[in-house]
Amino acid sequence: MANILFLIIDMQNGFMNNYTAGLVEKIRDFQEGIADHVITAGTRYVNHDHTACYVFEGWKSCMAGSEEAEIVPELRGCMQRVFDKDKYSCWNEEMQAFIRENKVKKIFFAGVNTGCCVLHSAMDSYNDLVDCAVIEDLCGSTSGEEEHEAALVVLRSCITKERVITADMAYEEICG
C-alpha cells in the first residue's frame, strides 16, 4: 500500500447525472481491484456563500450540510479519508500534509468534473512535483462528453500525455 494514493475527486450526490452516474460502479470496481496496493482517499466540494461558484455564478448546489454535498453511498466505505474543500483544487495544506505524512510518491486521480476539480487538482500536484496520473475513463463531466474530452486535451498538454491514462494502464502500473 505504500506510496500510492488513489484520489477520488468529488463523487457526490449533487454531481451525479446522466453523464456521470456510470462512473460510480467503474470507480468502485477499480478501487476494489487495487485496494491492497494503495491508500484510497476522496474529496468533497462544500459550497457556501463565500465560494467563487456561489459569488460569481450564483450556484447554490452542494451547500454545506446538504445531501447533495455528500459522497455517493456506494463509494463512502472505500475511502480511508475524505478531504473537504471549497475550491476546485484539493491541493491545500491539509492535503499536502497528508501526502508528506504518507510518503506518497504518485497520485492517481479519478472523479468529477474533469475540467474543473480533477484538472486543477492534478495540475497543482504536478506543479508541486508530486507525480500523478489522471485516469481518463474513471473521470467525467456533469456537462457531458465534449467538456470531458476538452479537459483531457488540456491535461495532456499541461501534465504530459503520459500522465493521462486508462484504468487498465493504471491497474498495470499499480499492481504489476
Side-chain angles (χ1 to χ4, degrees), residues 14-15 45-48 53-54 58-64 66 68-69:
F15 295 133
Y45 181 80
V46 180
N47 198 14
H48 53 76
C53 292
Y54 186 94
W59 190 67
K60 296 178 181 165
S61 295
C62 293
M63 297 300 285
S66 71
E68 289 178 325

Side-chain angles (χ1 to χ4, degrees), residues 31 50 114 158 160-161 168:
Q31 192 280 331
H50 297 293
T114 315
C158 292
T160 75
K161 64 184 177 194
D168 288 342

Side-chain angles (χ1 to χ4, degrees), residues 112-149:
V112 296
N113 275 307
T114 315
C116 295
C117 298
V118 174
L119 180 140
H120 282 266
S121 297
M123 288 177 73
D124 284 349
S125 166
Y126 178 86
N127 283 330
D128 220 13
L129 302 179
V130 176
D131 197 7
C132 62
V134 173
I135 306 173
E136 64 181 283
D137 46 337
L138 297 183
C139 292
S141 172
T142 55
S143 300
E145 188 65 22
E146 189 173 319
E147 290 206 16
H148 168 70
E149 291 296 331

Side-chain angles (χ1 to χ4, degrees), residues 8-43:
I8 303 169
I9 304 291
D10 299 354
M11 290 296 292
Q12 298 166 231
N13 293 321
F15 295 133
M16 293 300 103
N17 65 20
N18 58 329
Y19 298 119
T20 58
L23 291 172
V24 175
E25 186 176 343
K26 290 179 185 178
I27 289 172
R28 188 188 66 228
D29 291 349
F30 180 81
Q31 192 280 331
E32 288 174 356
I34 63 167
D36 292 339
H37 304 280
V38 301
I39 301 165
T40 300
T43 66

